[in-house]
Amino acid sequence: MKLKSLIVSIKGVKLSKAEANLFSKEKPWGVILFKRNLKSSDQIKRLILKIKNLTKNRKFPILIDEEGSSVSRLANIMRHDFSANFFGNLYGKNQSFCKKIYSHYIYSIAKTLKYLGFNINTIPVLDILRHNTNKVIGKRSFSFNKKIVNELGILTIKNLHKNRIGSVIKHIPGHGASTADSHKRMPRVFLSLKKLNKLDFIPFKSSKAKFAMTAHILYAKIDKNNVGTFSKEIIQNIIRKKIGFKGLLISDDISMKALKHDLITNAKKSLKAGCNLVLYCAGKTNDNYKLIKSLPYIDKFTQKKTSEFYKFLG
C-alpha cells in the first residue's frame, strides 16, 4: 500500500487540473473537505465521486469536521444548531432521555454523511471544560464533568460506526485546560501529569475510535520544549502507553499558528514524534504538492490500520 502520510485539502467546489493530478498521480492518504468545498448535495456527491475515481479507490478516506453548531461544514445543506455542550447539559438533567436523543442525532448525521460519500467525521471533541477554557473549544466540549464527556464520546463513536463512518477523537491528550487558541498562538498548560491523568486523559482511554487528532499544546510539566504534536514523550509515553490509544494518530492542522516552523518542517516533526498522518487544511495547491513530495510513504503500522479501516467500510 503505497500512500503518502498526508491528508490534503482543496481550494474550491471543483477540482482544478492541478488538484485532479494530485489525486491521480500522487498518493495522498486522504482528503478533508471544508465549507468552501461544499455547496449542494449533488455537487458534494459529484466532487467526492470524482476524487474516488481519480484515486481508483472507492474507500479513499474523505474527512469532514461536522460537529454541529459553530463547527458545521454542511451549513449550506443541513442545519443542526445543537452544540456538544447542549447535549452535555441535557445529560445532566435527564441521562436516559439525553442518550436516546443524542444517539438519534448522531446516527442521522452519520447517515447523511454516508449518503454524500464521506467516511470519516472528526468528532467527538473529548476536551473537558474549565471555567477559563478558551472559547475556541467552549461549547464544542460536552461538559466540565469527565463522566459526561466520556459517556457522550462513547455514544458518538458507536453511532458513527453503525453507519460505517470512522471517528476521530480530539484533541488528544486534552485541550480543555488551555486558555489560548492554537489557531492563533501556542497554548501552554502547566498542570502536572497526575492532574492531567485524573481528568483530561480519562475520556480518551479505552476508546474504540479508529483515529485520534493531536493537540498543538505545550504541556510544560511533561515536555517543556515541544507541543503535543511534536513530542515523542507525549505521543509514545502518554498517548500510546498511559492512555493506550491503538488507532491511527493524525496531527491537527499543520498550518495553525501554534506551530512555529514552515509547513514541511511541521509535517516532518509531527511524523518523527510519532504521528502516523499529517493533516493540512489550508487548501493551497502548491503547498499540497510541496508536502506530498517531501513526506514519506506510510509505515507498516499505518498500512495495517488503513487496511483494517477499509475492511470496516465494507
Side-chain angles (χ1 to χ4, degrees), residues 47 57 61 78 98 108 172 176 178 221 276 299:
L47 176 63
N57 179 6
M78 58 187 271
C98 174
S108 64
I172 201 167
S178 157
K221 296 279 177 74
N276 306 113
D299 60 19

Side-chain angles (χ1 to χ4, degrees), residues 191-204:
L191 294 177
S192 68
L193 176 57
K194 190 177 178 182
K195 282 187 178 171
L196 287 164
N197 191 45
K198 266 187 171 174
L199 193 65
D200 295 81
F201 297 173
I202 297 295
F204 295 102

Side-chain angles (χ1 to χ4, degrees), residues 134-174:
N134 188 274
K135 64 183 180 184
V136 74
I137 299 297
K139 290 186 176 181
R140 296 167 64 199
S141 166
F142 290 113
S143 181
F144 292 87
N145 184 318
K146 64 186 177 186
K147 179 181 183 285
I148 294 175
V149 175
N150 191 47
E151 287 280 326
L152 292 179
I154 289 166
L155 275 183
T156 306
I157 294 159
K158 185 179 173 184
N159 284 285
L160 288 175
H161 284 187
K162 277 183 185 174
N163 279 292
R164 297 285 181 258
I165 301 286
S167 57
V168 184
I169 53 175
K170 62 188 186 187
H171 304 84
I172 201 167

Side-chain angles (χ1 to χ4, degrees), residues 28 51 189 203 233 292:
I51 291 169
V189 168
E233 178 66 27
I292 210 154

Side-chain angles (χ1 to χ4, degrees), residues 15-111:
L15 295 179
S16 66
K17 192 175 177 184
E19 287 170 339
N21 281 336
L22 182 73
F23 290 110
S24 61
K25 303 277 196 312
E26 306 297 334
K27 295 287 180 184
W29 185 89
V31 63
I32 186 164
L33 300 180
F34 288 92
K35 198 173 179 180
R36 64 178 184 261
N37 312 124
L38 311 169
K39 189 173 70 174
S40 69
S41 294
D42 286 345
Q43 173 267 328
I44 294 166
K45 287 169 78 177
R46 280 196 306 273
L47 176 63
I48 289 175
L49 186 62
K50 175 121 195 223
I51 291 169
K52 288 178 178 177
N53 286 340
L54 286 166
T55 60
K56 298 183 173 64
N57 179 6
R58 67 183 179 86
K59 296 178 181 182
F60 186 74
I62 313 280
L63 292 80
I64 190 169
D65 195 2
E66 191 61 26
E67 295 176 15
S69 191
S70 63
V71 182
S72 175
R73 313 308 185 193
L74 293 172
N76 292 334
I77 308 157
M78 58 187 271
R79 294 302 298 267
H80 52 117
D81 290 333
F82 301 104
S83 65
N85 199 246
F86 169 84
F87 290 105
N89 289 334
L90 186 61
Y91 187 102
K93 290 169 187 168
N94 189 327
Q95 193 174 317
S96 61
F97 176 68
C98 174
K99 282 184 170 183
K100 281 178 191 164
I101 291 289
Y102 184 67
S103 292
H104 178 73
Y105 171 73
I106 292 296
Y107 186 85
S108 64
I109 289 171
K111 212 166 179 57

Side-chain angles (χ1 to χ4, degrees), residues 274-298:
C275 289
N276 306 113
L277 299 165
V278 168
L279 179 68
Y280 170 63
C281 297
K284 294 178 181 172
T285 308
N286 286 348
D287 289 336
N288 276 319
Y289 271 96
K290 279 180 197 169
L291 284 161
I292 210 154
K293 298 288 188 190
S294 304
L295 295 185
Y297 289 104
I298 58 173

